[in-house]
Amino acid sequence: MNPTHLELTGVGISFPTDKGLYCALQNVNLRIAKGEFVSLIGHSGCGKSTVLNIVAGLYQATTGGVILDGREVNEPGPERAVVFQNHSLLPWLSCYENVELAVRQVFKGQKNRREMRDWIEHNLELVHMTHARDKRPSEISGGMKQRIGIARALAMQPKVLLMDEPFGALDALTRAHLQDSLMEIHSDLGNTVIMITHDVDEA
Ligand SMILES: Nc1ncnc2c1ncn2[C@@H]1O[C@H](COP(=O)(O)OP(=O)(O)OP(=O)(O)O)[C@@H](O)[C@H]1O
Ligand SMILES: [Mg+2]
């Protein structure tokens, strides 16, 4: 059996700018086994988010490509959930509804109403956000928004969880707590995780 689950081969990308093409990535190669937890670390602007966005299918590599379980990645999909560097919740939906939107998309036809509700509540509980379930993103702090983003991604039960500095905006206590929860969740679910961080200890 081939243990490679996710493979980046010769990935490069150039962005068009006013001064011509800007080469942000060149020849990035990564082989990740199923269930592996990989941290990407590097200085600001080196291309970490760009790598993640290519794996997410949000950017198209200019050269090379990404293979997940034998299939080429060229668009976003629910099996690759992203926790973005800047929280990206829908401002007109409550915390609960933000998670619900993702859950409905992924589990339509698989879970009934009640199972969906329980599952959303379970994921809000994982990140300790049950108390704010009915608040809108504008009514909660940055760290809380980030926790909802994590709950939303986890609730999709993705094969690959892509996290772009997920704990960067959190205070040390919440951060340590969420790091522990993430390790627990990872050992329970065994999903493959790529996490970007600036913090060597966290990596
Ligand atoms: N859409 C784009 N158009 C043009 N240049 C871009 C675009 N996206 C990223 N870049 C450039 O590519 C390089 C890598 O950016 P990226 O966001 O991947 O860095 P990063 O490693 O995630 O940095 P940080 O740690 O600050 O988040 C930067 O020089 C950035 O300016
Ligand atoms: Mg970044």
Side-chain angles (χ1 to χ4, degrees):
M1 219 174 78
N2 182 2
T4 302
H5 172 51
L6 180 66
E7 185 164 20
L8 281 71
T9 311
V11 169
I13 192 167
S14 297
F15 293 110
T17 67
D18 297 341
K19 293 177 193 153
L21 281 182
Y22 174 77
C23 176
L25 291 177
Q26 212 171 12
N27 199 23
V28 177
N29 297 285
L30 256 181
R31 296 179 78 168
I32 300 177
K34 200 171 174 64
E36 209 173 346
F37 194 118
V38 175
S39 289
L40 295 184
I41 192 160
H43 61 80
S44 179
C46 73
K48 303 180 296 296
S49 296
T50 306
V51 170
L52 212 76
N53 282 325
I54 290 172
V55 177
L58 295 166
Y59 287 175
Q60 280 288 332
T62 316
T63 60
V66 179
I67 307 276
L68 174 64
D69 285 337
R71 299 178 73 177
E72 189 170 6
V73 165
N74 43 28
E75 59 180 5
E79 78 288 355
R80 283 163 285 123
V82 192
V83 177
F84 291 96
Q85 186 168 13
N86 53 345
H87 7 268
S88 55
L89 303 175
L90 296 174
W92 60 90
L93 296 180
S94 70
C95 292
Y96 180 93
E97 289 164 341
N98 265 282
V99 180
E100 184 182 30
L101 192 69
V103 168
R104 272 180 193 278
Q105 189 203 346
V106 177
F107 296 105
K108 198 170 41 184
Q110 290 174 50
K111 288 188 193 291
N112 64 30
R113 241 165 206 283
R114 194 209 160 98
E115 286 165 342
M116 285 212 204
R117 196 195 59 207
D118 291 349
W119 178 241
I120 296 161
E121 284 171 356
H122 168 73
N123 281 280
L124 287 172
E125 222 171 273
L126 277 181
V127 297
H128 299 271
M129 282 298 291
T130 307
H131 64 285
R133 48 169 282 161
D134 297 320
K135 292 196 171 170
R136 300 269 166 87
S138 61
E139 299 168 323
I140 59 175
S141 71
M144 290 162 89
K145 283 182 221 171
Q146 202 62 353
R147 279 144 72 187
I148 296 298
I150 294 168
R152 176 176 60 185
L154 288 174
M156 295 165 73
Q157 284 200 317
K159 280 189 192 172
V160 183
L161 183 59
L162 303 168
M163 308 180 97
D164 196 347
E165 294 188 46
F167 309 136
L170 303 178
D171 65 273
L173 284 175
T174 311
R175 187 178 180 128
H177 178 80
L178 274 181
Q179 285 167 347
D180 288 346
S181 325
L182 179 63
M183 294 323 287
E184 254 170 51
I185 290 161
H186 176 248
S187 66
D188 282 356
L189 303 180
N191 25 17
T192 309
V193 185
I194 303 180
M195 183 179 78
I196 294 174
T197 174
H198 269 135
D199 183 337
V200 179
D201 290 336
E202 184 169 271

